[in-house]
Amino acid sequence: MVASLYIHVPFCAGACDYCDFYSVAADKDDDRLNRYTELVSRDVVNQIYQFSVDTIPSIYIGGGTPSMLGASGISRLMKAISPAIKTWPGEISIEANPESVNRDFIQACMDTGISRISLGVQSFSAKSRRAVNRTGSARTVPEALSLLRDVWRGNFSVDLITGLPFQDEQTLHEDIKKVVSYGPAHISLYSLILEEGTVLKEKAGKHEIILPGDDEADSLWLLGKSLLEESGYVQYEVSNFSRPRGECLHNIRYWRMENWLGAGPGASGTIFDDPTGTAVRRTVPADIETFLTGTLEPRMENINRMELIKEMILMGFRYIEGPGDILIKKRSGGTWDTLIPETLRRWRNNGLIREDRTALTREGLVFLNRFVGDAFFELDRG
C-alpha cells in the first residue's frame, strides 16, 4: 500500500495567541523530548507494518515546533524509522521556527535525508509579533533565513500571516519583499483567523487587542497574493504559492485525499477503501502525558461514503487541480457532475470552474467557502 506519513511534534517554547494546534510548553533540555522521540518512532514503525505500507511518497514532521528536537533528536527520529521505509520518500518536510534553526539543525536535516524545511516567519514586525505573543524575537527571522539561503541545500518554504495587529499595506509589502529576497521555493500566505478556544479570540472578545476589520483583512490578503504573483510565485492552493517544482507534495496528497499515516499525540491518519467509497481514520488523542507512558490508545473512526464525498469537496477544491475526476468515480461510481450538477452549472456559468477539469479557477478559490456551502446544500437536499 502507498501512504504518506505525518509526525506531530507537540512541543513549543510558548503558545502563540492565535494557534489552535495541540502543543505543550517545553525547552530544548526537557527530558520529555527523548521519551517522545522513542515512542513516536515506535508508533511509526508499528503502523507501517500494521497497514502493510510498502511505499511512502512523502513525510511531513509538523507541530508544535519540530526543530525543538534539535540536531540529535532529529537524527534519532530519522535513524529509528528509516529501516522500516522500503522506498525512500520523494519529499521529507520539517517545520521549524527561526529561533531554533542553527547550523547543527540544518546539517542534521541534510544528513538524515530531509529535503524541505518550512519556516514559520509570520511577520518581521516586532510590534505585530509581540501583539499575538509570537515566540522568538524578530531579529531571529533574518538570521534563520540567511542560514537557509546560504547553508541549506534543499527547498525551503516560509509562512506569512496577514491581518495581524498593527499590520498595514506598507508593512505587509515590506514583509513579502524581505521574504522573497531570500529565494524560498514556496510561500504560504495565511489570513489570521480567530479560532475558538484561543487566547487571541478571548482577547478580541474583551477588546484587549485591535485587529483589522473584515474588509481590511481581506484587502491585505489580496494585496499579499498580488505581490507574490508579481514576484513569480504561482497560487496552487487557497493559501499556498510556489515557484516551478516548489509545491509541497505532501500537502497535495491531503488535498487529493490519498492515504496517510499519523503519529504522535494530536495526529490523525486516514486509509481509504476505494471500492466501497469509505475510509478508516486513526486519531491519536492530544494527550502528551499519557502518550509518554506508552499506554495512549488511538481512536478509530469509520467514514461513510457521503462523509468521504464531503471531505473530498472540502479538501479537494482547495487545490488548483481539484479533487480528481478519476478518484471520485472510483470511490462513488459517479462523477462530480452527477453528484453536484446544479452547483457546478452555476459556478461554470460565472466562469469560476476551470474548463479543462472539475476545479475552481484562481478567481474561484477566493470564494471557496461559498462553493463548499453550495455543494453541501445540494448533497444534503439529495
Side-chain angles (χ1 to χ4, degrees):
M1 186 181 71
V2 178
S4 288
L5 169 64
Y6 174 72
I7 301 174
H8 190 71
V9 182
F11 300 103
C12 271
C16 302
D17 287 353
Y18 54 80
C19 184
D20 68 336
F21 291 110
Y22 175 61
S23 67
V24 294
D27 59 46
K28 61 183 180 63
D29 298 318
D30 196 313
D31 291 339
R32 293 176 297 175
L33 298 180
N34 289 334
R35 177 65 174 162
Y36 160 82
T37 303
E38 173 193 346
L39 290 173
V40 81
S41 302
R42 187 184 305 169
D43 185 24
V44 167
V45 173
N46 288 342
Q47 286 192 67
I48 289 174
Y49 293 123
Q50 176 187 353
F51 293 105
S52 301
V53 176
D54 50 26
T55 302
I56 299 178
S58 65
I59 297 175
Y60 196 101
I61 306 170
T65 309
S67 50
M68 282 195 67
L69 295 177
S72 61
I74 293 300
S75 297
R76 287 196 306 275
L77 173 62
M78 295 304 296
K79 182 178 180 180
I81 68 175
S82 292
I85 301 174
K86 297 178 181 179
T87 303
W88 198 249
E91 175 189 272
I92 304 178
S93 298
I94 187 168
E95 292 180 347
N97 278 351
E99 66 274 10
S100 51
V101 170
N102 53 44
R103 287 179 180 270
D104 288 343
F105 170 77
I106 291 175
Q107 189 62 53
C109 290
M110 292 191 290
D111 290 345
T112 57
I114 292 173
S115 58
R116 186 175 177 277
I117 293 177
S118 179
L119 190 70
V121 170
Q122 321 311 358
S123 175
F124 287 82
S125 167
K127 195 173 184 180
S128 292
R129 293 170 66 89
R130 284 195 299 269
V132 294
N133 196 34
R134 176 63 182 163
T135 56
S137 67
R139 65 176 176 78
T140 64
V141 175
E143 293 172 359
L145 285 167
S146 295
L147 275 175
L148 290 176
R149 179 193 60 199
D150 299 338
V151 178
W152 176 242
R153 292 197 296 268
N155 280 345
F156 74 95
S157 175
V158 170
D159 289 355
L160 293 173
I161 293 179
T162 65
L164 291 166
F166 307 112
Q167 189 181 63
D168 55 26
E169 291 187 358
Q170 181 179 349
T171 57
L172 177 60
H173 193 287
E174 290 172 355
D175 276 353
I176 290 178
K177 183 178 179 180
K178 288 176 183 176
V179 162
V180 168
S181 71
Y182 291 97
H186 185 285
I187 297 175
S188 297
L189 185 70
Y190 299 109
S191 182
L192 184 67
I193 298 175
L194 291 176
E195 300 286 2
E196 290 296 333
T198 61
V199 174
L200 188 63
K201 174 80 171 179
E202 182 181 350
K203 286 183 176 180
K206 295 179 179 178
H207 305 289
E208 296 176 1
I209 193 168
I210 299 175
L211 297 170
D214 290 344
D215 290 344
E216 183 182 357
D218 289 345
S219 295
L220 284 169
W221 188 87
L222 290 170
L223 171 63
K225 174 181 182 292
S226 297
L227 292 171
L228 289 174
E229 291 173 338
E230 290 170 8
S231 301
Y233 292 86
V234 176
Q235 184 184 23
Y236 72 101
E237 190 265 352
V238 172
S239 302
N240 288 277
F241 302 75
S242 76
R243 287 181 169 162
R245 297 179 300 280
E247 299 90 347
C248 179
L249 303 182
H250 184 88
N251 284 342
I252 288 174
R253 289 186 59 84
Y254 289 152
W255 301 324
R256 287 181 52 81
M257 296 290 286
E258 295 174 328
N259 295 324
W260 75 90
L261 308 177
S268 68
T270 306
I271 302 298
F272 301 92
D273 184 350
D274 290 343
T276 64
T278 62
V280 174
R281 177 156 297 144
R282 177 187 187 273
T283 301
V284 185
D287 181 353
I288 184 62
E289 298 307 327
T290 306
F291 180 82
L292 294 176
T293 67
T295 62
L296 188 62
E297 292 294 328
R299 296 191 300 267
M300 306 300 288
E301 172 191 4
N302 293 317
I303 301 174
N304 65 36
R305 177 178 174 274
M306 183 54 68
E307 290 170 332
L308 184 54
I309 290 171
K310 286 186 173 182
E311 287 199 12
M312 289 183 70
I313 290 172
L314 184 64
M315 298 297 288
F317 282 95
R318 299 180 61 90
Y319 180 39
I320 194 64
E321 298 298 324
D325 295 319
I326 296 175
L327 197 57
I328 190 61
K329 189 167 186 178
K330 288 170 61 178
R331 292 178 178 172
S332 73
T335 66
W336 291 115
D337 279 298
T338 59
L339 290 167
I340 48 172
E342 294 180 17
T343 299
L344 291 175
R345 183 167 55 250
R346 285 198 308 273
W347 284 68
R348 281 196 181 102
N349 289 341
N350 290 325
L352 298 175
I353 296 291
R354 290 175 55 174
E355 294 182 2
D356 61 328
R357 63 193 307 122
T358 311
L360 292 170
T361 62
R362 287 191 170 84
E363 293 75 17
L365 287 176
V366 176
F367 306 103
L368 172 67
N369 290 341
R370 189 179 304 172
F371 175 85
V372 171
D374 287 353
F376 281 14
F377 178 79
E378 184 173 359
L379 285 171
D380 290 338
R381 190 183 58 194

